[in-house]
């Protein structure tokens, strides 16, 4: 089993407010026959600057020809042009092209391909973004997708908007600047910013709902992923009242965030009065509640791969491979975890990098420059729906996946 699975029950229960598990893994040995990559796939997004003259806008057929002539040189001429397969996924801005090529031999690491100077030069010269992935039959079948909230599913940073709304933005931004300069660790910076909010009335959450702006395409992307059968969750360094609101807006089941101590503690089962009856934030976090930082986001990805898995191992085929769970284990037998290759994570900050690297597809969306440099994939578009094109769907299929129920 995944080395983090032993902590799945405690992490999930403490963060979500429930100790129930529907499906759990018990044995990793049955996953050795997962589909192997049969090719490399490059998804190419052409998005010229909005004020570009027509000469800088490349017709997609021309872009396809440029790509097919460029790729053999990228792999030291071991790639035959006849083996390149091209698909047009989207014909208007952003134009999206998918190119599949046989795995080079020997196969370089994806990181080494992504950071090839020739590839980055091609991106600069033609105003394109290229996402490189291994192609397997499971690429279009994600089963777990986790999103950061601030700057990803919504445009703003929740704590900044909260502080701005109550006239304490300068104090909070000064602490943020210290954290960005490396003077404060994330947890210390979070506690310091929360302390500034002491005495703020809890009605602030309702006021923020009218201020926070959901990212374009967020609802459609979540709808499409869930239509594909994926579990979708939010893992945020923000605060539970706003994450709970956003989860309701997007129809998301799993949500994890930091919990502020106040007169009204929001739980997964609804409002619950605390011993403090002032109706104001106390300026501290709920004692003993885990802080959602980069390590916790990674742990939640691992644990949800176990606890969110909807696929049982059907007996009796695997009975000899999947021994019964021991009495000491909190997990029922014969359930398999979600393979990492069928997970997606999307974020924009440095604290998202560990989960971006650990997922089958980790996307830095409109992220900070350092995050874009280090993430497995990056997108700088206006709509989160673009993530669906990375799964190999064309525009018609994306429209079908994201349609509202009739």
């Amino acid at each position: 089993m995944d080395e983090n699975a032993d902590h799945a029950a405690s992490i999930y229960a403490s963060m979500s407010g429930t100790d129930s598990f529907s499906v759990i893994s018990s044995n990793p040995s049955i996953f050795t026959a997962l589909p192997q990559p049969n090719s490399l796939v490059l998804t190419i997004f052409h998005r010229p600057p909005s004020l570009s003259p027509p000469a800088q806008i490349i017709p997609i057929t021309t872009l396809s020809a440029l790509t097919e002539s460029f790729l053999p040189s990228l792999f030291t001429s071991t790639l035959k042009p006849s083996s390149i397969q091209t698909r047009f996924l989207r014909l208007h801005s952003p134009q999206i092209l998918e190119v599949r090529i046989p795995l080079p031999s020997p196969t370089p690491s994806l990181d080494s391909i992504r950071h090839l100077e020739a590839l980055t030069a091609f991106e600069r010269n033609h105003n394109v973004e290229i996402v490189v992935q291994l192609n397997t039959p499971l690429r279009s079948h994600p089963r777990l997708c986790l999103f950061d909230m601030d700057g990803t599913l919504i445009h703003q940073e929740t704590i900044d908007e909260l502080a701005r709304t109550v006239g304490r933005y300068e104090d909070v931004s000064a602490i943020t600047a210290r954290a960005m300069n490396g003077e404060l660790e994330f947890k210390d910076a979070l506690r310091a910013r929360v302390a500034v909010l002491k005495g703020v009335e809890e009605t602030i959450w309702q006021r923020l709902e009218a201020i926070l702006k959901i990212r374009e395409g967020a609802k459609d992307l979540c709808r499409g992923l869930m239509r594909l059968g994926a579990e979708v969750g939010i893992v945020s360094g923000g605060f539970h009242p706003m994450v709970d609101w956003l989860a309701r807006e997007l129809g998301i089941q799993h949500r994890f965030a930091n919990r502020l101590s106040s007169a009204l503690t929001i739980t997964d089962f609804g409002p619950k009065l605390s011993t403090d009856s002032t109706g104001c934030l106390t300026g501290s976090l709920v004692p003993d509640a885990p802080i959602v930082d980069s390590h916790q986001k990674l742990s939640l990805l691992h644990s949800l791969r176990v606890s969110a898995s909807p696929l049982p191992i059907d007996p009796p085929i695997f009975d000899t491979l999947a021994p019964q769970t021991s009495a000491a284990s909190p997990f029922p037998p014969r359930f398999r975890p979600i393979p990492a290759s069928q997970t997606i994570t999307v974020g924009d900050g440095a604290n998202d990098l560990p989960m971006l690297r650990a997922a089958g597809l980790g996307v830095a969306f409109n992220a900070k420059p350092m995050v874009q440099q280090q993430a497995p994939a990056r997108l700088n578009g206006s709509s989160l729906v673009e993530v669906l094109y990375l799964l190999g769907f064309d525009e018609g299929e994306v429209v079908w996946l994201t349609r509202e129920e009739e």
Side-chain angles (χ1 to χ4, degrees), residues 26-82:
S26 64
N27 181 36
S29 62
I30 62 171
F31 306 113
T32 56
L34 287 174
Q36 296 300 305
N38 53 27
S39 62
L40 280 178
V41 58
L42 288 74
T43 311
I44 304 173
F45 294 75
H46 176 46
R47 43 171 126 257
S50 57
L51 300 179
S52 291
Q56 294 186 16
I57 301 176
I58 305 173
I60 195 166
T61 52
T62 303
L63 180 62
S64 174
L66 287 170
T67 304
E68 290 179 13
S69 63
F70 161 72
L71 285 176
S73 65
L74 195 65
F75 297 103
T76 323
S77 302
T78 58
L79 179 66
K80 297 179 179 180
S82 60

Side-chain angles (χ1 to χ4, degrees), residues 139 141-147 221 225 230-231 233 301 340-346 355-356 359-363 387-388 391:
R139 184 168 70 95
H141 302 281
R143 292 173 54 196
L144 175 64
C145 309
L146 298 182
F147 294 92
L221 174 58
L225 290 170
E231 298 281 329
L301 171 63
S341 60
Q342 288 183 276
T343 62
I344 299 172
T345 53
V346 185
M355 74 170 186
L356 295 182
L361 174 61
V363 181
V387 172
L388 289 175
L391 306 183

Side-chain angles (χ1 to χ4, degrees), residues 267-291:
T267 73
D268 288 335
F269 304 103
K272 177 182 177 181
L273 289 175
S274 73
T275 54
D276 181 358
S277 59
T278 62
C280 297
L281 302 180
T282 64
S284 61
L285 298 167
V286 171
D288 301 324
I291 291 178

Side-chain angles (χ1 to χ4, degrees), residues 149-150 153-162 165 205-215 241-243 245-246:
M149 179 177 75
D150 294 346
L153 288 176
I154 62 174
H155 284 272
Q156 304 100 316
E157 297 287 329
T158 304
I159 195 166
D160 289 346
E161 295 305 315
L162 197 162
T165 302
W205 303 122
Q206 287 71 42
R207 293 165 61 187
L208 282 179
E209 291 177 10
I211 295 172
L212 297 181
K213 184 180 179 183
I214 297 175
R215 176 79 63 180
M242 301 320 301
V243 169
W245 161 77
L246 183 60

